Amino acid sequence: MAQLWGGRFTKQTDDEVFAFNESLSFDHRLFSQDIEGSIAHVVMLEKQHIISLEEKDAIVRGLTLIKSEVEEGKLEFTSEYEDVHSFVEARLIEKIGDAGKKMHTGRSRNDQVALDMKLYVREEVLNIDKGLKSLLEVINRIMEENIDTYMPGFTHLQKAQPTTVAHHFGAYFEMFKRDRMRLGSIYERMNYCPLGSGALAGTTYPLDREYVASMLGFEGATNNSMDSVADRDYIIELLSALSTVMMHLSRFSEEIIIWNSNEYRFVELDDAYSTGSSIMPQKKNPDIAELVRGKTGRVYGALVSILTTLKGIPLAYNKDMQEDKEVTFDAIDTVKDCIHLFTGMIDTMKFRSDVMAKSAMKGFTNATDAADYLVKNGMPFRDAHGVIGALVLHCIDEDKSIEDCSIEELKSFSDIFEEDIYEAISLKTCVEKRLTKGAPSSVQMKKIIEMNKEYLKD
Ligand code: ARG
């Protein structure tokens, strides 16, 4: 074991203690952020005349070399180091000697790790946002191609009113768009640099924190050094936003699983996105959708884990906070994979428009429109609701739809009915007459799809 501390110790750390305490096995992920932060730090140290130009140059050269050696696989994260920060510093001293010992001047691992995690999360926020954007592009493409692909809309998983695939997918467009807005606001709120906060109380060196912050692309430096090293709010916010992304993906997956079932047959998943059964030759299973739905649990788990870890920690840094990493990394990986695979799955999915339209015509999805017909011809809505209710009961008895009834049959329920009732309750009319903003008529959907395209331009 190679440690950064030891002066005040008379014994080596116990092996099991070291193994329990170490974080290199997972925080090596922060390696390039750690190097980036250290370079900014020493550039600032030199500008402030805290280290010499030669020392700064040697450190920057050493760090750059370590980075390329790791990237080329020449240098490995061997287990004798406690964490990525110790690894980098020890390797630097090995490479450049005494100048390397000055890198950590005016810095603590507490503000260092706070910075590394922020840099990592900030970059991943952008990556996840990019994934969501690609998903939205596919959704909008599907919307555009399915403006008049009729399907039943559901409430309580019971057929309710006719709608279209464009309209149904449009709902998910809004959800993932909000997810992107959430990520955007997290980015803004988190984008302040903690470096220069030291262990907790700042430092006596004349650091230029704003300079470091601007070098690293932050909006500015954080205001309170204790908060800087103790704050993991942005991780909680991220995991909360990612939990919501997963909740949306999971609902969508659930629908696709239902639509892909033998009973519904609304969609057909591409072979490349389905799996078979080892025993039942006829099976083509929606495993990807099921896994996305299943993986939602581990992202929620990450959120609850970090909330619980932080709730009892006194200010400022405590080692508990090392627990922020594995769950966050796992959640980010999971969400990126899920968005990517889900996008491919719906991009290649086929819609059975005939089955969907047929399904929309069964189950009295036009009952509201039949009632509205009576209302338009003078009957109060509550009475119309009663008349159509009785008519539906009659149709259920006879195993048919409203439009299958003869005009005489309809007139026996209300003499308001005329021949134009059939047109008024056709699938096309039911959809096209819904002209309010946000409703499924093609007029509205075309407007929304154009808006979506504009939105996706930047
Ligand atoms: N590995 C530690 C973490 O992830 C780095 C900070 C260590 N700081 C300390 N005071 N022990 O939190």
Side-chain angles (χ1 to χ4, degrees):
M1 53 193 91
Q3 284 152 337
L4 294 175
W5 39 272
R8 64 102 66 216
F9 287 78
T10 54
K11 263 191 187 174
Q12 275 287 312
T13 316
D14 177 84
D15 284 349
E16 281 183 39
V17 171
F18 184 83
F20 188 67
N21 195 46
E22 71 86 29
S23 55
L24 183 60
S25 55
F26 49 88
D27 70 13
H28 63 78
R29 270 214 207 207
L30 301 176
F31 174 69
S32 59
Q33 287 77 13
D34 201 70
I35 300 264
E36 188 188 354
S38 288
I39 290 178
H41 181 63
V42 297
V43 167
M44 178 276 294
L45 288 181
E46 191 276 323
K47 178 180 94 70
Q48 299 300 96
H49 309 295
I50 300 167
I51 61 171
S52 72
L53 185 63
E54 295 71 38
E55 286 162 345
K56 185 264 291 178
D57 286 343
I59 296 172
V60 172
R61 230 181 300 115
L63 290 172
T64 313
L65 183 65
I66 294 170
K67 184 161 192 269
S68 58
E69 284 186 3
V70 165
E71 282 165 2
E72 289 159 19
K74 286 190 209 149
L75 192 59
E76 277 177 37
F77 299 111
T78 44
S79 60
E80 72 254 43
Y81 301 98
E82 184 184 328
D83 52 28
V84 68
H85 327 295
S86 321
F87 170 84
V88 171
E89 188 172 328
R91 292 307 178 138
L92 180 71
I93 294 168
E94 247 173 58
K95 293 227 182 285
I96 67 163
D98 280 350
K101 295 181 181 166
K102 298 205 172 175
M103 175 174 70
H104 209 53
T105 312
R107 189 174 68 169
S108 156
R109 277 186 296 165
N110 298 351
D111 58 344
Q112 188 178 0
V113 75
L115 171 68
D116 291 3
M117 261 319 255
K118 263 198 175 172
L119 288 173
Y120 183 88
V121 166
R122 197 178 66 170
E123 195 178 319
E124 291 296 355
V125 164
L126 295 181
N127 289 334
I128 295 165
D129 183 66
K130 232 185 260 165
L132 287 172
K133 188 170 186 225
S134 307
L135 173 58
L136 287 176
E137 277 158 1
V138 170
I139 292 177
N140 206 43
R141 198 258 306 148
I142 293 172
M143 288 170 69
E144 196 166 21
E145 289 169 8
N146 291 284
I147 291 174
D148 40 39
T149 307
Y150 301 121
M151 66 177 288
F154 297 85
T155 64
H156 314 272
L157 203 51
Q158 311 265 349
K159 288 179 198 177
Q161 290 172 345
T163 183
T164 65
V165 167
H167 189 235
H168 200 116
F169 272 59
Y172 284 102
F173 191 100
E174 298 302 318
M175 293 179 228
F176 295 118
K177 183 175 160 189
R178 285 195 297 272
D179 287 331
R180 292 188 73 203
M181 288 158 65
R182 262 185 283 277
L183 290 174
S185 75
I186 291 170
Y187 189 104
E188 273 182 34
R189 236 183 334 276
M190 72 173 284
N191 202 21
Y192 292 87
C193 183
L195 202 68
S197 297
L200 76 159
T203 172
T204 54
Y205 295 98
L207 304 186
D208 185 346
R209 293 194 57 213
E210 296 297 345
Y211 182 68
V212 172
S214 80
M215 254 189 292
L216 294 170
F218 286 100
E219 203 44 48
T222 49
N223 283 337
N224 180 293
S225 62
M226 282 189 125
D227 176 54
S228 306
V229 293
D231 169 35
R232 297 293 183 273
D233 290 5
Y234 65 97
I235 296 181
I236 293 174
E237 288 192 39
L238 174 72
L239 294 176
S240 165
L242 296 189
S243 293
T244 307
V245 170
M246 289 304 293
M247 179 271 289
H248 292 151
L249 284 175
S250 186
R251 291 180 83 166
F252 209 166
S253 292
E254 170 70 8
E255 298 208 285
I256 287 169
I257 292 162
I258 293 172
W259 295 346
N260 186 62
S261 70
N262 303 136
E263 282 66 29
Y264 275 74
R265 295 178 55 253
F266 281 10
V267 296
E268 164 122 34
L269 293 177
D270 194 78
D271 280 3
Y273 283 86
S274 313
T275 51
S277 156
S278 61
I279 174 169
M280 297 166 282
Q282 84 281 15
K283 287 291 215 107
K284 192 174 146 190
N285 297 328
D287 284 25
I288 299 309
E290 289 171 9
L291 270 175
V292 169
R293 189 178 58 184
K295 283 177 191 290
T296 304
R298 59 201 269 184
V299 178
Y300 290 4
L303 173 62
V304 174
S305 166
I306 185 81
L307 279 169
T308 312
T309 296
L310 286 167
K311 74 179 261 297
I313 311 185
L315 294 183
Y317 178 85
N318 297 260
K319 192 68 174 229
D320 317 40
M321 296 168 86
Q322 181 165 288
E323 285 295 306
D324 63 356
K325 294 179 191 59
E326 286 159 291
V327 290
T328 304
F329 296 157
D330 182 72
I332 289 171
D333 292 348
T334 301
V335 169
K336 283 199 296 189
D337 282 354
C338 287
I339 294 172
H340 179 65
L341 282 150
F342 189 90
T343 302
M345 181 181 72
I346 61 167
D347 197 22
T348 52
M349 185 169 81
K350 298 270 173 303
F351 295 92
R352 294 180 193 271
S353 48
D354 52 331
V355 178
M356 287 178 148
K358 223 187 206 164
S359 167
M361 287 186 324
K362 291 251 176 253
F364 308 102
T365 59
N366 54 5
T368 313
D369 295 80
D372 288 344
Y373 171 91
L374 295 177
V375 171
K376 268 172 216 144
N377 290 291
M379 191 183 284
F381 180 76
R382 195 47 59 208
D383 294 340
H385 189 284
V387 169
I388 301 299
L391 174 59
V392 165
L393 191 61
H394 162 78
C395 289
I396 292 171
D397 277 348
E398 307 237 313
D399 190 25
K400 59 185 181 188
S401 301
I402 299 175
E403 60 273 25
D404 298 333
C405 297
S406 69
I407 190 70
E408 291 74 30
E409 234 173 327
L410 293 175
K411 276 188 177 295
S412 71
F413 288 88
S414 164
D415 53 15
I416 290 178
F417 285 120
E418 297 296 343
E419 279 295 334
D420 60 353
I421 177 64
Y422 299 107
E423 173 64 23
I425 60 170
S426 76
L427 207 47
K428 190 173 165 65
T429 314
C430 289
V431 170
E432 291 297 352
K433 282 268 168 74
R434 290 184 149 71
L435 288 159
T436 41
K437 184 179 180 195
S441 63
S442 57
V443 180
Q444 283 300 334
M445 287 317 302
K446 280 177 189 159
K447 275 190 209 162
I448 297 286
I449 289 164
E450 281 318 304
M451 261 168 60
N452 292 351
K453 279 189 189 167
E454 273 307 303
Y455 160 78
L456 289 168
K457 266 187 192 156
D458 30 76

